[in-house]
Amino acid sequence: MAAGGTAGRVTRRRLRTRANLLEAAFSVFAAKGFGHVSIEEVCEAAGYTRGAFYSNFAGLDDLFFALYTQRAELIAEQVAGALAQDGPDLDVAAAVDRVTEVLLLDRDWLLVKTDFLVHAARDPEVARALLEHRARLRRAVADRLARARGRTGLPAALGDAEGAAHAVIAAYDGVTTQLLLDRDAEHARAWLGRLLTALLTG
C-alpha cells in the first residue's frame, strides 16, 4: 500500500510538473517566438531545473509539439462538441453560433500556432504531425455535415461534406490571421460567424 501510495504521489507530481512546464512554455513562446527561446528560459519561467525539464521532454521540439497538441486537441473537442448538439437535422446558423462562441481565439495561442506552422514548413516530420491534427479538426466538421446530408443543403460549389469542411478550415485560418494583425478578437469571432454561415448556407 505504501509503495503504491508513493508511486501515485510521484505520478501526480510529475503530471503537475509537466503541466507547469507547458503553461510556462506557452507564455514564453508567445512572448518571444519558438526560435528565440532556450530551455533555461522555460525552466526559469516554470521554476524548475533542467533535470525536471528533461524528465518530461526530450528537448524544445518535443515540448513545442506537446504544447501544440494540447491546444489543437482542445479546439477539435470544442468544435465536435458544439456540432454534436443538434439531432439528425443541422441548424447551420445555430451550430455556427455555438462553434464561434466556444472556439479558442486567443492571440497568444495563434502566435504559438503560427510559429509551429513555420517550423513544420521546414521539417517534413513535424509537417506530417501538423497535417494530421488539421485533418482531425476537418473530419469533425465533415462527419457532422455528412450526417446531415439530405436534411441540410450545402452550397453545390463546395461539393461534398469534405469540401465544405475544407472551406470551414480555410475561413478559420483567414480570420485568425487577421486577428494576429488587428488584435480584435470580438470582431474576429463575429466575422467568422458571418463567414461560416454564408459559406454553408449559400
Side-chain angles (χ1 to χ4, degrees), residues 63-146:
L63 170 65
F64 197 41
F65 183 69
L67 181 61
Y68 179 85
T69 299
Q70 181 189 67
R71 296 294 174 120
E73 288 180 352
L74 170 62
I75 289 174
E77 288 167 8
Q78 288 175 332
V79 171
L83 290 174
Q85 293 180 35
D86 285 322
D89 297 327
L90 179 63
D91 183 336
V92 171
V96 166
D97 282 346
R98 289 196 304 271
V99 169
T100 54
E101 183 179 347
V102 303
L103 195 60
L104 182 67
L105 285 178
D106 176 72
R107 190 171 181 274
D108 282 349
W109 155 241
L110 295 175
L111 286 168
V112 172
K113 181 184 133 181
T114 301
D115 269 352
F116 194 80
L117 176 62
V118 173
H119 182 49
R122 295 188 173 97
D123 187 323
E125 186 175 345
V126 178
R128 281 192 295 273
L130 178 56
L131 286 169
E132 174 51 37
H133 283 290
R134 288 174 64 83
R136 181 183 170 191
L137 179 59
R138 191 173 64 249
R139 283 195 299 269
V141 176
D143 288 350
R144 184 63 189 92
L145 294 175

Side-chain angles (χ1 to χ4, degrees), residues 7 11 31 45 53 61 70 87 90 99 102 112 138 149 152 154 158 165 187 190:
T11 300
F53 178 94
D61 277 9
Q70 181 189 67
L90 179 63
V99 169
V102 303
V112 172
R138 191 173 64 249
R149 198 82 171 161
T152 302
L154 293 173
L158 296 179
H187 177 264

